[in-house]
Amino acid sequence: MWVKHPDYERVDWINKFVLELWPSLDKAICDMIRDILHPIFDECIRQYCITSIEFRSLTLGSLPPNIQGVKVHETNEKELIIDPIVRWAGNPNINLVVKFLFLPITLQLLDLQIFAAPRITLKPLVPTFPCFASIAVSLLDKPSVDFGLKLLGGDVMAIPGLYQFIQEQIRTQIANMYLWPQNLVIPILDESLGAIKKPVGILYVKVVKAVQLLKKDLLGASDPYVKLSLSGERLTAKKTSVKMKNLNPEWNEEFRMTVKDPKSQFLKVHVYDWEKIGKHNNLGMQVVPLSLLVPHQKKELTLDLMKNISLNNNKNKYRGKLVLELTFNPFKEDSLNYSGRHLDNSSTTTNNKELGGLLIVTIPGAENVEGNHHNNPYALVTFRGEEKRTKLMKKTRNPKWNEEFQFVLDEPPLKEKIHIQVMSRRTGFGFRPKETLGHVEISLVDVIHNGRINQKYHLINSKSGFVSVDIRWKVI
């Protein structure tokens, strides 16, 4: 294939590697075949008048498969697609003996030849070794399989018409199971790993009030505020306003937080005494497991504040109480997983346009961005006056950020646009510390209707620069 098609590459080094490893691979594959077929043979023995089924010999021979070219595809998704061309003209020695009462019947497979064009997809790519969560294998075309089969010493495939019939049956059966887009998925990483978890809902937190807080200031009452965060998240914690000189403050302030695993995550609540100078004093803390919440049902909690969370809570003196109202709303496609039933649109709202949700903006990277004075690019995402930025990449025209930003919205932004600007900042001292490398404005109406867009956009005011953008909309 690498001779006829320039986008296929030679992989002689892989073939040499497989050749050296083949004796060990042969034994490992044959042992796996025995383990897979053993329960099938036992089932056949129980159902039919068969005394035993066993391999007299099982080896794949001395000739390994040969990869005649590999093509790698680039996509906008977090995946790697590989199309190898595999040809195997093997010399296996496979003899199967089936005993009916005391009559042994020997089946022998020989002269096996296989030609196949599989597609191997590693997805999704994650920052946890081996850096992909699963392997999906499919066939781009029906495979070509040729072999000889001897029964009681006679060549069965020499029977007129049988050879073509068996070949076509094998090709059809394999194609029905694995011809693209059908595939065989092999999981590699446990989906419970935080690296591959995605937001599944929004936690609404209302900090109502606190009662009988500790007095920390020498010349007056404490100046309390509340700090909220979710376990397993690196996002900036949410904070209430500061209530000056008040041991029984009332906030009635509401916050929204994205949830990735309501079965294992918990809400961390800290109450601090604000200080103008120096470290803020700890007035108390508490944690709330999200597993206590029923989806779409408000739960009011009165928490006893502790100095810290420990097994021996008796040593913690009384630090007051904190009143919270919590509501967990799963996204529409995740409602079945957490409430046991699908939520109809009529049960939540009569107008689909009134549904709120989460806007997830991912910036994988940019290409061919070039500044006049320096190339240290970063991306600036602006939506509804809120700015979020990626990390800065030094001295590159093709930065890879792979950063995600989230916007919790009360209604879908059908008539709004999101502004993405690629900037460059000088890292040392000098003139022109910043310059614009290009920008793009993306209408969100298609995201709301389709749930997602994922594509490259040409940067305005850039000669040949592109930015990759993946935007998702999840409805509550």
Side-chain angles (χ1 to χ4, degrees):
M1 293 297 293
W2 59 266
V3 176
K4 295 187 292 183
H5 303 283
D7 52 350
Y8 277 84
E9 300 180 17
R10 296 181 64 178
V11 285
D12 291 343
W13 66 272
I14 293 183
N15 292 324
K16 291 179 181 178
F17 178 78
V18 174
L19 179 62
E20 295 297 326
L21 200 62
W22 184 244
S24 299
L25 281 174
D26 177 23
K27 186 177 185 305
I29 294 172
C30 290
D31 289 343
M32 183 175 64
I33 293 174
R34 292 178 188 273
D35 293 338
I36 294 174
L37 294 181
H38 182 73
I40 299 176
F41 289 167
D42 289 344
E43 185 66 24
C44 293
I45 291 174
R46 285 194 298 267
Q47 292 185 0
Y48 307 103
C49 298
I50 300 176
T51 304
S52 66
I53 304 176
E54 59 183 13
F55 286 104
R56 179 174 295 172
S57 61
L58 176 58
T59 176
L60 301 181
S62 58
L63 302 177
N66 186 268
I67 301 176
Q68 298 189 327
V70 169
K71 180 178 180 180
V72 179
H73 297 268
E74 293 184 3
T75 70
N76 292 332
E77 305 294 335
K78 293 183 178 180
E79 62 183 14
L80 179 63
I81 300 178
I82 305 171
D83 292 347
I85 303 298
V86 181
R87 187 183 296 274
W88 183 28
N91 55 348
N93 182 18
I94 302 176
N95 285 274
L96 183 67
V97 179
V98 182
K99 288 186 178 180
F100 288 91
L101 298 177
F102 299 102
L103 177 63
I105 298 176
T106 303
L107 293 170
Q108 183 181 7
L109 180 68
L110 65 161
D111 298 333
L112 179 63
Q113 297 187 38
I114 297 176
F115 179 79
R119 167 162 290 180
I120 301 173
T121 305
L122 311 179
K123 65 176 182 179
L125 302 180
V126 296
T128 302
F129 190 80
C131 299
F132 53 89
S134 65
I135 302 175
V137 182
S138 58
L139 295 172
L140 299 179
D141 200 356
K142 290 184 178 181
S144 175
V145 181
D146 190 10
F147 59 91
L149 184 63
K150 287 188 176 182
L151 177 62
L152 299 174
D155 189 359
V156 177
M157 305 305 263
I159 300 175
L162 184 61
Y163 173 77
Q164 290 81 3
F165 174 77
I166 292 179
Q167 262 207 337
E168 186 59 32
Q169 287 297 313
I170 292 175
R171 286 162 53 89
T172 301
Q173 291 301 320
I174 295 177
N176 289 339
M177 293 187 292
Y178 303 120
L179 189 64
W180 191 88
Q182 306 292 333
N183 57 28
L184 171 65
V185 178
I186 305 171
I188 302 297
L189 290 179
D190 187 354
E191 291 187 358
S192 63
L193 291 175
I196 57 178
K197 286 183 179 178
K198 295 296 181 182
V200 297
I202 297 177
L203 176 67
Y204 292 83
V205 183
K206 182 177 181 179
V207 182
V208 181
K209 63 181 179 179
V211 180
Q212 298 178 351
L213 296 177
L214 290 180
K215 178 182 177 182
K216 285 288 186 178
D217 294 344
L218 295 177
L219 301 179
S222 299
D223 307 319
Y225 70 92
V226 181
K227 190 174 181 180
L228 306 169
S229 62
L230 282 175
S231 62
E233 291 290 346
R234 298 181 180 179
L235 300 177
T236 304
K238 309 288 187 179
K239 296 180 181 179
T240 67
S241 58
V242 179
K243 298 297 182 181
M244 305 301 293
K245 298 180 180 180
N246 195 337
L247 297 182
N248 298 283
E250 292 188 9
W251 286 284
N252 291 311
E253 297 181 17
E254 297 182 357
F255 302 91
R256 295 170 294 188
M257 313 174 77
T258 56
V259 178
K260 293 183 178 179
D261 188 356
K263 296 180 181 178
S264 63
Q265 283 186 293
F266 52 87
L267 176 67
K268 295 186 287 186
V269 184
H270 292 262
V271 183
Y272 290 100
D273 174 29
W274 181 83
E275 297 291 342
K276 188 173 183 180
I277 300 176
K279 184 179 179 181
H280 297 188
N281 296 318
N282 178 28
L283 296 179
M285 68 167 297
Q286 191 54 268
V287 297
V288 181
L290 301 190
S291 58
L292 299 177
L293 306 179
V294 178
H296 302 286
Q297 292 186 14
K298 181 188 297 184
K299 187 177 184 67
E300 182 174 314
L301 298 173
T302 301
L303 306 177
D304 292 324
L305 296 175
M306 309 267 183
K307 182 178 181 180
N308 52 58
I309 303 300
S310 62
L311 295 178
N312 189 3
N313 289 329
N314 295 327
K315 294 183 180 180
N316 286 320
K317 65 179 181 179
Y318 182 76
R319 290 175 168 266
K321 296 180 182 293
L322 181 68
V323 180
L324 300 177
E325 291 180 1
L326 304 179
T327 307
F328 171 60
N329 288 342
F331 296 130
K332 189 174 180 181
E333 60 269 30
D334 299 307
S335 296
L336 179 63
N337 297 331
Y338 300 107
S339 63
R341 60 185 178 86
H342 283 297
L343 295 176
D344 298 330
N345 291 341
S346 59
S347 66
T348 56
T349 180
T350 57
N351 188 348
N352 194 37
K353 294 183 180 180
E354 296 178 359
L355 290 173
L358 180 68
L359 187 70
I360 305 173
V361 182
T362 304
I363 312 294
E367 299 176 13
N368 298 325
V369 292
E370 186 172 5
N372 295 324
H373 306 282
H374 40 78
N375 286 315
N376 304 311
Y378 64 94
L380 188 65
V381 180
T382 306
F383 180 68
R384 290 186 176 178
E386 183 178 359
E387 289 188 352
K388 299 186 178 183
R389 65 181 60 195
T390 67
K391 58 182 177 290
L392 182 145
M393 307 296 290
K394 294 183 179 180
K395 297 180 179 180
T396 178
R397 297 178 65 240
N398 301 288
K400 300 292 184 183
W401 295 298
N402 289 314
E403 294 194 37
E404 179 182 289
F405 307 103
Q406 299 175 358
F407 301 89
V408 181
L409 308 177
D410 293 325
E411 59 183 16
L414 286 168
K415 299 181 180 181
E416 298 183 66
K417 296 181 179 181
I418 191 166
H419 183 83
I420 299 174
Q421 189 172 20
V422 180
M423 305 282 294
S424 177
R425 186 176 74 239
R426 188 182 294 277
T427 55
F429 176 78
F431 297 102
R432 298 184 179 89
K434 292 183 181 180
E435 64 177 295
T436 301
L437 306 184
H439 70 276
V440 64
E441 281 195 345
I442 303 173
S443 175
L444 298 177
V445 62
D446 289 338
V447 182
I448 304 306
H449 290 312
N450 301 323
R452 182 190 183 196
I453 58 172
N454 182 20
Q455 63 187 70
K456 294 181 180 179
Y457 294 89
H458 176 71
L459 290 169
I460 301 173
N461 296 332
S462 175
K463 293 181 180 179
S464 58
F466 288 85
V467 62
S468 298
V469 183
D470 184 357
I471 306 179
R472 301 170 187 259
W473 172 249
K474 288 182 172 288
V475 181
I476 297 174

